[in-house]
Coordinates of all heavy atoms in Angstrom, one line a residue:
Chain B
Q42 N -17.6 15.1 -9.3 CA -17.1 15.3 -7.9 C -18.2 15.9 -7.0 O -19.2 16.3 -7.5 CB -15.9 16.1 -7.9 CG -16.1 17.5 -8.5 CD -14.8 18.3 -8.6 OE1 -13.9 18.2 -7.7 NE2 -14.7 19.1 -9.6
H43 N -17.9 15.9 -5.7 CA -18.9 16.4 -4.8 C -18.2 17.6 -4.0 O -17.3 17.4 -3.3 CB -19.3 15.4 -3.8 CG -19.7 14.1 -4.4 ND1 -18.8 13.0 -4.4 CD2 -20.8 13.7 -5.0 CE1 -19.5 12.0 -5.0 NE2 -20.6 12.4 -5.4
L44 N -18.7 18.8 -4.2 CA -18.1 19.9 -3.6 C -19.1 20.7 -2.8 O -20.3 20.8 -3.2 CB -17.5 20.8 -4.6 CG -16.3 20.3 -5.5 CD1 -15.9 21.2 -6.6 CD2 -15.1 20.0 -4.6
S45 N -18.7 21.3 -1.7 CA -19.5 22.2 -1.0 C -19.4 23.6 -1.5 O -18.4 23.9 -2.2 CB -19.2 22.2 0.5 OG -17.9 22.7 0.7
A46 N -20.3 24.5 -1.2 CA -20.3 25.9 -1.6 C -19.0 26.5 -1.2 O -18.3 27.2 -1.9 CB -21.5 26.7 -1.0
D47 N -18.6 26.2 0.0 CA -17.4 26.7 0.6 C -16.1 26.3 -0.2 O -15.3 27.1 -0.5 CB -17.2 26.2 2.0 CG -16.5 27.1 2.9 OD1 -16.9 28.3 2.9 OD2 -15.6 26.7 3.5
Q48 N -16.1 25.1 -0.6 CA -14.9 24.6 -1.4 C -14.9 25.3 -2.8 O -13.8 25.6 -3.3 CB -15.0 23.1 -1.6 CG -14.8 22.3 -0.3 CD -15.0 20.8 -0.6 OE1 -16.1 20.4 -1.0 NE2 -14.0 20.0 -0.3
I49 N -16.1 25.5 -3.3 CA -16.1 26.1 -4.6 C -15.7 27.6 -4.5 O -14.9 28.1 -5.3 CB -17.5 26.0 -5.2 CG1 -17.8 24.5 -5.5 CG2 -17.7 26.8 -6.5 CD1 -19.2 24.2 -5.9
L50 N -16.1 28.2 -3.5 CA -15.7 29.6 -3.2 C -14.2 29.7 -3.1 O -13.6 30.6 -3.7 CB -16.4 30.1 -2.0 CG -16.0 31.6 -1.5 CD1 -16.5 32.6 -2.6 CD2 -16.7 31.9 -0.2
A51 N -13.6 28.8 -2.4 CA -12.2 28.8 -2.2 C -11.5 28.5 -3.5 O -10.5 29.2 -3.8 CB -11.8 27.8 -1.1
S52 N -12.0 27.6 -4.3 CA -11.4 27.2 -5.6 C -11.4 28.4 -6.5 O -10.4 28.8 -7.1 CB -12.1 26.1 -6.3 OG -11.7 24.9 -5.8
V53 N -12.5 29.0 -6.6 CA -12.7 30.1 -7.6 C -11.7 31.3 -7.2 O -11.0 31.8 -8.0 CB -14.1 30.7 -7.5 CG1 -14.2 32.0 -8.3 CG2 -15.1 29.7 -8.2
N54 N -11.7 31.6 -5.9 CA -10.9 32.7 -5.5 C -9.4 32.4 -5.5 O -8.6 33.3 -5.5 CB -11.4 33.2 -4.1 CG -12.7 33.9 -4.3 OD1 -13.1 34.2 -5.4 ND2 -13.4 34.0 -3.2
S55 N -9.0 31.1 -5.5 CA -7.6 30.8 -5.6 C -7.1 30.8 -7.0 O -5.9 30.7 -7.3 CB -7.4 29.4 -4.9 OG -7.8 28.4 -5.9
L56 N -8.0 31.0 -7.9 CA -7.7 30.9 -9.4 C -7.6 32.3 -10.0 O -7.9 32.5 -11.2 CB -8.7 30.1 -10.1 CG -8.7 28.6 -9.9 CD1 -9.8 27.9 -10.6 CD2 -7.3 28.0 -10.2
G57 N -7.4 33.3 -9.2 CA -7.4 34.7 -9.8 C -8.7 35.3 -9.9 O -8.9 36.4 -9.4
T58 N -9.6 34.6 -10.5 CA -11.0 35.1 -10.5 C -11.6 35.3 -9.1 O -11.1 34.7 -8.2 CB -12.0 34.0 -11.2 OG1 -11.2 33.2 -12.0 CG2 -13.1 34.7 -11.9
T59 N -12.5 36.1 -9.0 CA -13.2 36.3 -7.7 C -14.7 36.2 -7.9 O -15.2 36.5 -9.0 CB -12.8 37.6 -7.0 OG1 -13.3 38.7 -7.9 CG2 -11.4 37.7 -6.7
A60 N -15.3 35.6 -6.9 CA -16.8 35.6 -6.9 C -17.1 35.7 -5.5 O -16.4 35.2 -4.6 CB -17.2 34.3 -7.5
S61 N -18.2 36.4 -5.2 CA -18.7 36.5 -3.8 C -19.4 35.3 -3.4 O -19.9 34.5 -4.2 CB -19.5 37.8 -3.7 OG -20.7 37.5 -4.5
K62 N -19.6 35.2 -2.1 CA -20.4 34.1 -1.5 C -21.7 34.1 -2.1 O -22.3 33.0 -2.5 CB -20.4 34.3 0.0 CG -20.9 33.2 0.8 CD -20.8 33.4 2.3 CE -21.2 34.8 2.7 NZ -21.7 34.7 4.1
A63 N -22.4 35.3 -2.2 CA -23.7 35.3 -2.8 C -23.8 34.8 -4.2 O -24.7 34.0 -4.5 CB -24.2 36.8 -2.7
T64 N -22.8 35.1 -5.0 CA -22.8 34.6 -6.4 C -22.6 33.1 -6.4 O -23.2 32.4 -7.2 CB -21.7 35.3 -7.2 OG1 -22.0 36.7 -7.2 CG2 -21.5 34.7 -8.6
I65 N -21.8 32.6 -5.5 CA -21.6 31.1 -5.5 C -22.9 30.5 -5.2 O -23.4 29.6 -5.9 CB -20.6 30.7 -4.3 CG1 -19.2 31.3 -4.6 CG2 -20.5 29.2 -4.2 CD1 -18.5 30.8 -5.8
Y66 N -23.6 30.9 -4.2 CA -24.9 30.3 -3.8 C -25.9 30.5 -4.9 O -26.7 29.6 -5.3 CB -25.4 30.9 -2.5 CG -24.7 30.2 -1.3 CD1 -23.8 30.9 -0.6 CD2 -25.1 28.9 -1.0 CE1 -23.1 30.3 0.5 CE2 -24.4 28.3 0.1 CZ -23.5 29.0 0.8 OH -22.9 28.4 1.9
N67 N -26.0 31.7 -5.5 CA -26.9 32.0 -6.6 C -26.7 31.1 -7.7 O -27.6 30.4 -8.3 CB -26.8 33.4 -7.1 CG -27.3 34.5 -6.1 OD1 -28.1 34.1 -5.2 ND2 -26.9 35.7 -6.3
T68 N -25.4 30.9 -8.1 CA -25.0 30.1 -9.2 C -25.3 28.6 -9.0 O -25.8 27.9 -9.9 CB -23.5 30.3 -9.6 OG1 -23.4 31.7 -9.9 CG2 -23.1 29.5 -10.8
L69 N -24.9 28.2 -7.8 CA -25.2 26.7 -7.6 C -26.7 26.4 -7.6 O -27.1 25.4 -8.1 CB -24.5 26.4 -6.2 CG -23.0 26.4 -6.2 CD1 -22.5 26.2 -4.8 CD2 -22.5 25.3 -7.2
G70 N -27.5 27.3 -7.0 CA -28.9 27.1 -7.0 C -29.4 27.1 -8.5 O -30.2 26.3 -8.8
L71 N -28.9 28.0 -9.3 CA -29.3 28.1 -10.7 C -29.0 26.8 -11.4 O -29.8 26.2 -12.1 CB -28.7 29.3 -11.3 CG -28.9 29.6 -12.8 CD1 -30.4 29.8 -13.0 CD2 -28.1 30.8 -13.3
F72 N -27.7 26.4 -11.3 CA -27.2 25.2 -11.9 C -28.1 24.0 -11.5 O -28.4 23.2 -12.4 CB -25.8 24.9 -11.6 CG -24.8 25.8 -12.3 CD1 -25.2 26.9 -13.1 CD2 -23.4 25.5 -12.2 CE1 -24.3 27.7 -13.8 CE2 -22.5 26.3 -12.9 CZ -22.9 27.4 -13.6
A73 N -28.4 23.9 -10.3 CA -29.2 22.8 -9.8 C -30.6 22.8 -10.4 O -31.1 21.8 -10.8 CB -29.3 22.8 -8.3
R74 N -31.2 24.0 -10.4 CA -32.6 24.1 -11.0 C -32.6 23.8 -12.5 O -33.5 23.2 -13.0 CB -33.1 25.5 -10.8 CG -33.6 25.8 -9.4 CD -34.4 27.1 -9.3 NE -33.7 28.2 -9.8 CZ -32.8 28.9 -9.1 NH1 -32.5 28.6 -7.9 NH2 -32.2 30.0 -9.7
R75 N -31.4 24.1 -13.1 CA -31.3 23.8 -14.5 C -30.9 22.3 -14.8 O -30.7 22.0 -16.0 CB -30.4 24.7 -15.2 CG -30.9 26.2 -15.3 CD -32.3 26.2 -16.0 NE -32.4 27.5 -16.8 CZ -32.8 28.6 -16.2 NH1 -33.0 28.7 -14.9 NH2 -32.8 29.7 -16.9
G76 N -30.6 21.6 -13.8 CA -30.2 20.2 -14.0 C -28.8 20.0 -14.3 O -28.4 18.9 -14.7
L77 N -28.0 21.0 -14.2 CA -26.5 20.8 -14.5 C -25.8 20.1 -13.4 O -24.8 19.5 -13.6 CB -25.9 22.2 -14.8 CG -26.4 23.0 -15.9 CD1 -25.7 24.3 -16.0 CD2 -26.3 22.2 -17.2
I78 N -26.3 20.3 -12.2 CA -25.7 19.6 -11.0 C -26.8 19.1 -10.1 O -28.0 19.4 -10.3 CB -24.8 20.6 -10.2 CG1 -25.6 21.8 -9.7 CG2 -23.6 21.0 -11.0 CD1 -24.8 22.8 -8.9
R79 N -26.4 18.3 -9.2 CA -27.4 17.7 -8.3 C -27.0 18.1 -6.8 O -25.9 17.9 -6.4 CB -27.4 16.2 -8.5 CG -28.2 15.4 -7.5 CD -28.2 14.0 -8.0 NE -28.6 13.0 -7.0 CZ -28.5 11.7 -7.1 NH1 -27.9 11.2 -8.2 NH2 -28.8 10.9 -6.1
E80 N -28.0 18.5 -6.1 CA -27.8 18.8 -4.7 C -27.8 17.5 -3.9 O -28.8 16.7 -4.1 CB -28.8 19.7 -4.1 CG -28.7 21.1 -4.7 CD -29.8 22.0 -4.1 OE1 -30.9 21.6 -3.8 OE2 -29.5 23.3 -4.0
V81 N -26.9 17.2 -3.0 CA -26.9 16.0 -2.3 C -27.0 16.4 -0.8 O -26.1 17.1 -0.3 CB -25.6 15.1 -2.5 CG1 -25.7 13.9 -1.7 CG2 -25.5 14.9 -4.0
I82 N -28.1 16.0 -0.2 CA -28.2 16.3 1.2 C -28.1 15.1 2.1 O -28.9 14.2 2.2 CB -29.7 16.9 1.4 CG1 -29.7 18.2 0.6 CG2 -30.0 17.2 2.9 CD1 -31.1 18.7 0.2
V83 N -26.9 15.0 2.7 CA -26.6 13.9 3.5 C -25.9 14.3 4.8 O -25.9 13.6 5.8 CB -25.6 12.9 2.8 CG1 -26.3 12.0 1.9 CG2 -24.4 13.7 2.2
D84 N -25.3 15.5 4.7 CA -24.6 16.0 5.9 C -25.4 17.2 6.5 O -25.8 18.1 5.8 CB -23.2 16.6 5.4 CG -22.3 17.1 6.5 OD1 -22.8 17.6 7.5 OD2 -21.1 17.0 6.3
P85 N -25.7 17.0 7.8 CA -26.7 18.0 8.3 C -26.1 19.4 8.3 O -26.9 20.4 8.4 CB -26.9 17.5 9.8 CG -25.8 16.5 10.0 CD -25.4 16.0 8.7
V86 N -24.8 19.6 8.1 CA -24.3 21.0 8.2 C -24.1 21.7 6.8 O -24.0 22.8 6.8 CB -23.1 21.1 9.1 CG1 -23.3 20.4 10.4 CG2 -21.8 20.7 8.3
K87 N -24.0 20.9 5.8 CA -23.9 21.5 4.5 C -24.3 20.7 3.3 O -24.4 19.5 3.4 CB -22.4 21.9 4.3 CG -21.4 20.8 4.3 CD -20.0 21.3 4.0 CE -19.0 20.2 4.0 NZ -18.9 19.5 5.3
V88 N -24.6 21.4 2.2 CA -25.1 20.7 1.0 C -23.9 20.4 0.1 O -23.0 21.2 0.0 CB -26.1 21.6 0.3 CG1 -26.4 21.0 -1.1 CG2 -27.3 21.9 1.1
F89 N -23.9 19.2 -0.5 CA -22.9 18.9 -1.5 C -23.5 19.1 -2.9 O -24.7 18.8 -3.1 CB -22.4 17.5 -1.4 CG -21.5 17.2 -0.2 CD1 -21.9 16.5 0.9 CD2 -20.2 17.7 -0.3 CE1 -21.0 16.3 2.0 CE2 -19.3 17.5 0.7 CZ -19.7 16.8 1.9
Y90 N -22.7 19.6 -3.8 CA -23.1 19.7 -5.2 C -22.3 18.7 -6.0 O -21.1 18.7 -6.0 CB -22.9 21.2 -5.7 CG -23.7 22.1 -4.9 CD1 -23.3 22.7 -3.7 CD2 -25.0 22.4 -5.3 CE1 -24.1 23.6 -2.9 CE2 -25.8 23.3 -4.6 CZ -25.3 23.9 -3.4 OH -26.1 24.7 -2.7
D91 N -23.1 17.9 -6.7 CA -22.6 16.8 -7.4 C -22.6 17.0 -8.9 O -23.7 17.3 -9.5 CB -23.4 15.5 -7.1 CG -22.9 14.2 -7.6 OD1 -21.9 14.3 -8.4 OD2 -23.3 13.2 -7.1

Side-chain angles (χ1 to χ4, degrees):
Chain B
Q42 59 187 325
H43 311 103
L44 296 172
S45 65
D47 212 49
Q48 290 176 301
I49 294 167
L50 179 60
S52 275
V53 169
N54 291 342
S55 75
L56 292 176
T58 333
T59 58
S61 67
K62 192 171 44 150
T64 296
I65 299 292
Y66 281 104
N67 288 344
T68 301
L69 290 172
L71 179 62
F72 284 8
R74 284 192 304 278
R75 290 302 211 284
L77 298 178
I78 58 178
R79 172 175 162 190
E80 291 179 330
V81 182
I82 296 158
V83 281
D84 185 326
V86 314
K87 61 177 179 298
V88 172
F89 283 108
Y90 295 89
D91 190 344

